[in-house]
Amino acid sequence: MNFLRGVMGGPSAGPQPSGADTIQKLCDRVASSTLLDDRRDAVRALKSLSKKYRLEVGIQAMEHLIHVLQTDRSDSEIIGYALDTLYNVISNDLEEEEQEENSAKQVDDLGSQFTEIFIKQQENVTLLLTLVEEFDFHVRWPGVKLLTSLLKQQGPQVQQIILVSPMGVSRLMDLLADSREVIRNDGVLLLQQLTKSNAAIQKIVAFENAFERLLDIITEEGNSDGGIVVEDCLLLLQNLLKNNNSNQNFFKEGSYIQRMKPWFEVGDDNCGWSAQKVTNLHLMLQLVRVLVSPTNPPGATSSCQKAMFHCGLLQQLCTILMATGVPADILTETINTVSEVIRGCQTNQDYFASVNAPSNPPRPAIVVLLMSMVNERQPFVLRCAVLYCFQCFLYKNQKGQGEIVSTLLPSTIDATGNSVSAGQLLCGGLFSTDSLSNWCAAVALAHALQENATLKEQLLRVQLATSIGNPPVSLLQQCTNILSQGSKVQTRVGLLMLLCTWLSNCSIAVTHFLHNPANVPFLTGQIAENLGEEEQLVQGLCALLLGISIYYNDNSLENYRKEKLKQLIEKRIGRENFIEKLGFISKHELYSRAAQKPQPSFSSPDHMMFDHEFTKLVKELEGVISKAIYKSSEEDKKEEEVKKTLEQHDNIVTHYKKVIREQDQELEELKQRISTLTSQNEQLQATVTQQVSQIQQHKDQYNLLKVQLGKDTHHHNSHSDTFQMNGIQTEEVSKLKEELEEWKNKHEVLQGQLREKDSVIEKLNSSQLEVGTTEQSSQTSKSGGLEHNSELQKELEMLRSQIQLQSAEISKLQMENQKLQVMNATTDPVLGDSGATAATSSELEARLEQEVKELKSEVKALSEEKESLKQHLDSSSSTVAILQDEKSKLQREVAESKKEQDDLLVLLADQDQKISALKIKLKDLGVPVEDEDDIESGDQGDEDEDGDEEEQD
């Protein structure tokens, strides 16, 4: 222990040993001591010296410390000392704040070198992962800190070792479930370092339920009101989600977006937010933007945008947007977040258009934001965010574009002046004295016209009142007037971008622009001058505007036809010089920055020159304008003729395609009707089959009754000499005779109806034989009806034979009735002479009464059967009439559709020949022609398939 007192600075007799000697003695003791207590004390001493003598301890003791971790795992105390010592040696988080820059740089190199030595043996990292699994606080916490430090120093190498270690990442995920907050919080920091720039580890961590655990921690800590732990969790979530499409999809599918909504709940009083809350909210907003970033795949972004709308997250963000007292940086980031949540999503854009600010009277949120954008007193970053929000609102939103432009048109402007519209704010910003407002308003108005030729034409109607007493001028004229007045470079660049967007792909706007005789001389003068470097950008944009005026010129103005404008360029500027000035745009540094991402991000207002969407337009038009300048007048004429001819042919082909599409729809409707009739026919056939089975049952019952009636009649005839007939029997016989007469009449009526149905069926059969040679398509539609008619005819034949059998039975009953009458006449004289046979006659009377009842029931059953057969005949006759009508309609419709398709095929063949000839002419003239053979062949293939289906039908 005296040795330890000497090391720790206690009193000793003799000279003090140096730090290196002391460390060497301690290392020898750790390596050679057999007692665990001695080794533990030596390691504790090394720990106390490791901060001051970091280099010496690292060089001499690292190997011994690693050996301790391998051999003394049973003692948690010595393991904890060893881990703390290694952490002090490897970590650069020194407590000494007086380190100079040079020494700090040496310290950084020292930590990296020691880390490299430690991880050279991969077993050391694997051993450290095993120690981190220990529950003992004195082992687990130092192990977590040491592993975090290793990742900071040599991140990619350590990540690879952990990735190949069995269950390496899963072991570290258990740290988030530790009940001790210190270890849990340091575990979050460890996972931050582990997941940096490694997609494979990010996926493993995400599928180890990291999202659920991190969101639970954020909720437990109080969401945005939480402390530094919430910030660490949000940074880890950003690592897991940023540029990782798999994890983003997993986050959305796991319904974790819904759990983000409580983060953005703010109260009425938003004053006095802590710095930590501002940081947390900033990170939360950035996390939302990660999910809907424009750089993500469009499908993933769209699904996240829809989920945010349905769970109410967008509504919550708009509440923050319109709230009072929100810090400026949070408001700016909220505007950027809302921008990307609504970008390109029609549902979200429509909702944002309906949001009103809580003012009196209420104003649309778009108007309130535009007021901030054109207000030069607002912060620069806030104005950029509002411009981005407006651009995202109009991105792929023709409805929103129309609403903005409509606020400028004369018919919709509020004459009372009570409210300010978005169009009025843009015009005010466009012509204000602040160059940044000019630029922002010009870019915003250009986005309202993006890829919308209709609105470009409507904007030509806008008239502006410049001053009292002067006539109003058009918006286009006012823009060119300001451009020619020599304003600031930023203002002119913004106006030129607006004019280029406005005139591109709109011949009417080009004509209006050229109609002003001052515009072309101004442009040529600007391009021809040799100006300074700042003016080169304006020269390039003037060249682009003049090139657009040539390329989209429809030659409606005689003095400004394409050829004359080219000659003007050749004389005053020179073609090579013109092309050189045009190239100034794409070579500019600010152009390259703007082309990188949609969000306008500029370090200062002076750098605010180009818009992202405008860079796409320049890239599209630069090449075609260069080619158009070098084309001769004859080539232009031929190209125009070919374009017009192709447009005409395209219109014709489009028309015929539309007709064919309509006919296809009609054919589909006819097929559906045929399928409906077929199903009805099947139902009727099933009904007929059921009725046939019922008729068969009735026939069987009738045959049984007939056999029983024959036996009883024979027995009655053999004893008729001795049987006695009374008055009651005579009355029953007369009633039976009357009922038989009625059935006979009904039978004759039914036979007449059957004869009429037979004649109708024969007529139908003859008409079907006459049209038997029609197209196969119509045969298919009629086959169900023919089969049904044949089935009905067979059934009628069966019914006829059955009725004949019944008529035979009725005749037999009539004969029996006559015999009974004769017997009654012959037995009247001997009624009083047969007293001995009274008992026998009473039995006979009872049997006759029973037989009469049976005959009555049989007649009743036959009458019900006749009624059902009559109803069935009526339904069958109506079905035959319906099928006959449908058959005639289908024949006419099929014949008409076939005739129309034959005419269309002939016309399309002629058009294909003409288009092929024109393409050959274009190729001979050297004009590149897109190969549309595949498209035409696909269309022709569709027509052929439709024709085949019609023939099969």
Side-chain angles (χ1 to χ4, degrees):
M1 296 303 295
N2 290 332
F3 175 78
L4 280 176
R5 278 197 293 271
V7 171
M8 301 301 293
S12 63
Q16 293 288 337
S18 65
D21 295 338
T22 305
I23 292 169
Q24 181 62 44
K25 291 178 182 178
L26 289 173
C27 291
D28 293 340
R29 190 174 179 187
V30 169
S32 59
S33 294
T34 57
L35 293 175
L36 179 61
D37 291 340
D38 289 344
R39 292 199 302 276
R40 186 189 305 120
D41 292 339
V43 173
R44 183 168 57 235
L46 285 172
K47 174 189 172 184
S48 63
L49 294 172
S50 58
K51 290 185 179 180
K52 186 174 182 181
Y53 300 101
R54 179 182 177 190
L55 178 62
E56 291 79 2
V57 173
I59 292 173
Q60 299 181 38
M62 180 174 289
E63 185 178 352
H64 300 295
L65 294 171
I66 294 173
H67 183 70
V68 167
L69 296 178
Q70 294 171 345
T71 57
D72 292 332
R73 291 184 57 183
S74 60
D75 185 73
S76 60
E77 192 174 356
I78 192 173
I79 295 294
Y81 292 150
L83 290 172
D84 283 334
T85 306
L86 287 171
Y87 173 74
N88 292 336
V89 169
I90 291 174
S91 174
N92 291 326
D93 302 332
L94 295 178
E95 296 180 358
E96 289 81 8
E97 298 178 355
E98 63 272 8
Q99 293 287 342
E100 297 180 358
E101 292 184 2
N102 293 334
S103 61
K105 187 175 181 181
Q106 292 176 359
V107 165
D108 291 341
D109 295 339
L110 195 61
S112 179
Q113 291 172 5
F114 282 137
T115 301
E116 191 172 349
I117 294 171
F118 184 85
I119 67 175
K120 192 172 184 180
Q121 298 293 329
Q122 295 188 8
E123 295 81 5
N124 295 339
V125 179
T126 306
L127 175 63
L128 191 55
L129 290 173
T130 306
L131 293 173
V132 168
E133 283 188 288
E134 296 289 337
F135 186 74
D136 193 308
F137 180 82
H138 297 290
V139 176
R140 197 171 205 182
W141 187 40
V144 170
K145 292 194 297 181
L146 176 58
L147 192 54
T148 305
S149 183
L150 292 174
L151 285 164
K152 286 181 180 179
Q153 302 295 338
Q154 298 287 340
Q157 293 87 338
V158 180
Q159 285 174 342
Q160 193 61 32
I161 296 172
I162 294 175
L163 192 59
V164 298
S165 299
M167 300 294 290
V169 179
S170 300
R171 295 176 186 177
L172 299 179
M173 285 300 299
D174 293 338
L175 297 173
L176 296 181
D178 200 305
S179 59
R180 295 160 293 193
E181 290 189 1
V182 176
I183 294 179
R184 184 199 68 183
N185 298 343
D186 281 351
V188 173
L189 297 175
L190 169 61
L191 291 173
Q192 275 185 30
Q193 300 297 327
L194 180 65
T195 55
K196 276 186 178 178
S197 305
N198 193 308
I201 293 179
Q202 290 168 2
K203 291 178 183 179
I204 295 173
V205 171
F207 283 96
E208 288 284 345
N209 207 22
F211 294 140
E212 184 77 28
R213 295 182 183 180
L214 291 172
L215 292 173
D216 287 342
I217 293 173
I218 292 173
T219 304
E220 291 170 5
E221 295 291 326
N223 294 327
S224 61
D225 294 321
I228 190 72
V229 180
V230 173
E231 179 182 347
D232 294 335
C233 291
L234 291 170
L235 289 171
L236 177 54
L237 284 171
Q238 283 193 19
N239 283 355
L240 295 175
L241 292 173
K242 196 169 187 178
N243 300 324
N244 193 316
N245 300 329
S246 174
N247 283 2
Q248 289 175 7
N249 186 60
F250 181 67
F251 191 85
K252 178 184 72 69
E253 296 296 335
S255 300
Y256 296 120
I257 291 178
Q258 287 83 335
R259 297 188 60 178
M260 299 169 72
K261 181 186 175 184
W263 295 355
F264 305 103
E265 292 178 354
V266 296
D268 297 331
D269 184 13
N270 297 310
C271 300
W273 283 9
S274 65
Q276 186 62 55
K277 180 172 183 177
V278 172
T279 302
N280 291 345
L281 261 177
H282 203 273
L283 290 172
M284 289 171 176
L285 292 168
Q286 287 182 348
L287 191 62
V288 175
R289 294 184 65 184
V290 165
L291 295 172
V292 293
S293 172
T295 59
N296 293 344
T301 300
S302 177
S303 59
C304 288
Q305 288 172 332
K306 292 176 182 176
M308 289 177 183
F309 174 76
H310 291 303
C311 74
L313 180 58
L314 175 59
Q315 293 84 332
Q316 203 69 46
L317 292 174
C318 290
T319 303
I320 298 177
L321 201 65
M322 295 292 106
T324 56
V326 178
D329 53 347
I330 293 298
L331 181 60
T332 303
E333 190 64 22
T334 303
I335 294 172
N336 288 326
T337 305
V338 171
S339 305
E340 295 183 352
V341 172
I342 68 175
R343 186 176 189 269
C345 181
Q346 188 66 53
T347 304
N348 294 3
Q349 289 167 338
D350 291 343
Y351 170 76
F352 184 70
S354 67
V355 175
N356 288 322
S359 59
N360 191 16
R363 287 178 176 173
I366 297 174
V367 173
V368 175
L369 291 174
L370 288 178
M371 292 172 70
S372 301
M373 186 185 75
V374 298
N375 187 353
E376 55 184 310
R377 292 190 295 271
Q378 293 293 338
F380 172 65
V381 289
L382 179 64
R383 298 173 74 180
C384 291
V386 173
L387 175 61
Y388 184 47
C389 184
F390 191 72
Q391 292 173 350
C392 292
F393 169 68
L394 297 178
Y395 183 70
K396 294 183 178 179
N397 183 11
Q398 291 192 353
K399 179 182 176 183
Q401 289 176 324
E403 291 173 353
I404 297 298
V405 172
S406 66
T407 59
L408 286 167
L409 299 179
S411 60
T412 57
I413 293 177
D414 185 7
T416 61
N418 292 332
S419 61
V420 180
S421 66
Q424 291 170 338
L425 287 171
L426 290 178
C427 281
L430 196 62
F431 307 125
S432 71
T433 57
D434 178 30
S435 61
L436 186 58
S437 296
N438 301 154
W439 190 92
C440 290
V443 171
L445 198 54
H447 276 262
L449 304 175
Q450 201 80 36
E451 298 180 358
N452 199 324
T454 304
L455 295 182
K456 292 177 182 179
E457 296 177 8
Q458 290 185 6
L459 200 63
L460 296 171
R461 298 165 45 203
V462 177
Q463 300 289 321
L464 301 175
T466 54
S467 60
I468 300 175
N470 293 329
V473 297
S474 67
L475 177 61
L476 182 65
Q477 181 62 43
Q478 184 66 13
C479 289
T480 55
N481 291 342
I482 295 175
L483 194 62
S484 61
Q485 290 172 3
S487 52
K488 293 182 181 179
V489 173
Q490 191 174 41
T491 300
R492 284 181 288 161
V493 168
L495 289 172
L496 285 168
M497 286 195 298
L498 172 60
L499 291 173
C500 290
T501 305
W502 194 347
L503 269 59
S504 64
N505 204 21
C506 184
S507 301
I508 299 175
V510 171
T511 303
H512 278 70
F513 178 77
L514 296 176
H515 195 270
N516 186 351
N519 288 340
V520 173
F522 168 74
L523 292 178
T524 54
Q526 288 285 317
I527 299 169
E529 289 182 8
N530 291 323
L531 303 174
E533 190 172 333
E534 293 182 356
E535 296 291 331
Q536 286 184 352
L537 190 55
V538 176
Q539 286 184 316
L541 291 171
C542 288
L544 178 65
L545 182 58
L546 186 56
I548 290 172
S549 301
I550 294 173
Y551 186 72
Y552 292 106
N553 193 343
D554 58 359
N555 295 325
S556 58
L557 296 176
E558 183 62 30
N559 294 332
Y560 296 103
R561 297 173 66 85
K562 283 186 177 182
E563 186 59 31
K564 290 188 176 181
L565 290 175
K566 290 182 194 177
Q567 293 174 0
L568 187 65
I569 290 174
E570 180 66 27
K571 290 179 181 177
R572 296 192 180 179
I573 304 172
R575 293 181 181 177
E576 291 77 9
N577 191 24
F578 179 86
I579 300 299
E580 181 183 357
K581 298 292 178 66
L582 183 63
F584 284 164
I585 303 174
S586 56
K587 293 177 183 177
H588 203 280
E589 180 185 359
L590 297 178
Y591 174 90
S592 303
R593 291 183 186 176
Q596 292 176 359
K597 57 181 181 178
Q599 181 181 359
S601 56
F602 305 98
S603 57
S604 68
D606 296 336
H607 293 163
M608 208 167 187
M609 289 292 178
F610 283 109
D611 172 56
H612 178 75
E613 292 297 326
F614 181 74
T615 61
K616 295 181 181 179
L617 181 67
V618 173
K619 187 176 181 181
E620 176 187 347
L621 293 178
E622 187 175 6
V624 296
I625 289 175
S626 300
K627 291 180 182 178
I629 294 299
Y630 283 101
K631 283 183 181 178
S632 63
S633 59
E634 294 180 357
E635 291 177 344
D636 283 337
K637 289 180 181 178
K638 291 180 180 179
E639 186 177 351
E640 287 295 329
E641 292 176 358
V642 171
K643 280 184 178 179
K644 289 180 180 179
T645 308
L646 286 175
E647 286 177 1
Q648 292 176 358
H649 288 305
D650 288 342
N651 292 335
I652 294 172
V653 171
T654 304
H655 171 69
Y656 284 129
K657 285 181 179 179
K658 183 179 179 182
V659 173
I660 291 173
R661 212 173 291 117
E662 292 175 354
Q663 289 186 346
D664 288 340
Q665 292 177 357
E666 292 177 0
L667 285 173
E668 287 296 327
E669 292 176 359
L670 290 174
K671 287 178 182 178
Q672 290 178 1
R673 290 176 61 187
I674 290 172
S675 63
T676 304
L677 291 173
T678 304
S679 62
Q680 291 177 356
N681 185 21
E682 291 175 354
Q683 292 177 0
L684 290 173
Q685 287 180 352
T687 304
V688 169
T689 304
Q690 184 179 1
Q691 291 177 352
V692 167
S693 63
Q694 291 177 357
I695 290 171
Q696 185 64 37
Q697 292 177 2
H698 291 313
K699 285 176 67 177
D700 295 341
Q701 293 175 3
Y702 177 75
N703 291 332
L704 289 173
L705 289 172
K706 186 174 69 175
V707 171
Q708 293 177 0
L709 183 61
K711 291 181 179 178
D712 293 339
T713 303
H714 178 71
H715 180 73
H716 177 71
N717 289 333
S718 63
H719 296 85
S720 60
D721 297 338
T722 59
F723 287 169
Q724 186 178 25
M725 303 291 291
N726 55 21
I728 297 174
Q729 293 171 344
T730 306
E731 291 177 359
E732 293 294 335
V733 170
S734 63
K735 287 182 181 179
L736 285 173
K737 185 176 180 181
E738 290 174 359
E739 288 178 358
L740 288 173
E741 288 294 333
E742 289 177 2
W743 283 115
K744 187 174 181 181
N745 295 332
K746 290 180 181 179
H747 176 66
E748 289 175 356
V749 172
L750 288 173
Q751 281 184 341
Q753 291 179 357
L754 282 173
R755 284 193 293 272
E756 291 176 0
K757 301 301 178 185
D758 288 341
S759 64
V760 172
I761 290 172
E762 288 175 0
K763 289 179 181 179
L764 284 174
N765 289 332
S766 63
S767 64
Q768 290 163 2
L769 291 174
E770 290 174 0
V771 296
T773 58
T774 56
E775 296 93 336
Q776 190 171 353
S777 60
S778 61
Q779 288 178 356
T780 305
S781 65
K782 295 184 297 182
S783 60
L786 292 174
E787 292 175 1
H788 187 59
N789 289 337
S790 61
E791 292 287 339
L792 289 175
Q793 188 174 1
K794 291 179 181 178
E795 186 178 350
L796 288 173
E797 290 294 335
M798 293 171 63
L799 291 174
R800 189 183 297 110
S801 61
Q802 185 176 355
I803 289 172
Q804 290 176 356
L805 292 172
Q806 290 177 355
S807 63
E809 293 297 329
I810 289 170
S811 61
K812 288 181 180 179
L813 289 173
Q814 288 177 347
M815 293 174 63
E816 292 174 359
N817 186 23
Q818 291 174 359
K819 290 179 180 180
L820 288 172
Q821 289 177 351
V822 173
M823 288 170 60
N824 189 20
T826 54
T827 54
D828 284 339
V830 291
L831 286 174
D833 300 332
S834 302
T837 60
T840 306
S841 63
S842 63
E843 292 178 358
L844 178 60
E845 184 178 3
R847 288 191 60 183
L848 284 174
E849 287 178 358
Q850 183 66 27
E851 288 175 358
V852 167
K853 289 181 181 178
E854 290 176 355
L855 285 172
K856 282 184 178 180
S857 62
E858 182 180 355
V859 169
K860 185 177 180 181
L862 288 172
S863 65
E864 292 176 353
E865 184 178 355
K866 291 280 187 178
E867 287 295 326
S868 64
L869 290 174
K870 185 177 179 181
Q871 292 177 0
H872 178 65
L873 284 172
D874 292 338
S875 63
S876 301
S877 62
S878 63
T879 303
V880 169
I882 292 170
L883 289 174
Q884 179 67 15
D885 293 338
E886 293 295 332
K887 179 190 72 175
S888 60
K889 288 181 183 178
L890 289 173
Q891 285 176 351
R892 290 195 298 271
E893 290 172 351
V894 169
E896 289 173 0
S897 62
K898 182 176 182 183
K899 183 179 178 182
E900 290 177 358
Q901 285 194 345
D902 291 338
D903 295 338
L904 289 175
L905 289 174
V906 172
L907 288 171
L908 285 175
D910 294 340
Q911 295 302 323
D912 288 339
Q913 292 178 358
K914 291 179 181 178
I915 290 172
S916 300
L918 289 171
K919 286 183 179 178
I920 293 170
K921 288 181 181 179
L922 282 175
K923 289 181 180 178
D924 294 338
L925 293 173
V927 177
V929 180
E930 294 181 359
D931 189 6
E932 296 179 357
D933 291 341
D934 296 338
I935 300 173
E936 295 298 330
S937 62
D939 293 339
Q940 187 65 36
D942 294 339
E943 294 170 2
D944 294 341
E945 289 175 5
D946 293 339
D948 293 339
E949 290 176 0
E950 290 172 3
E951 292 178 1
Q952 292 174 3
D953 293 337

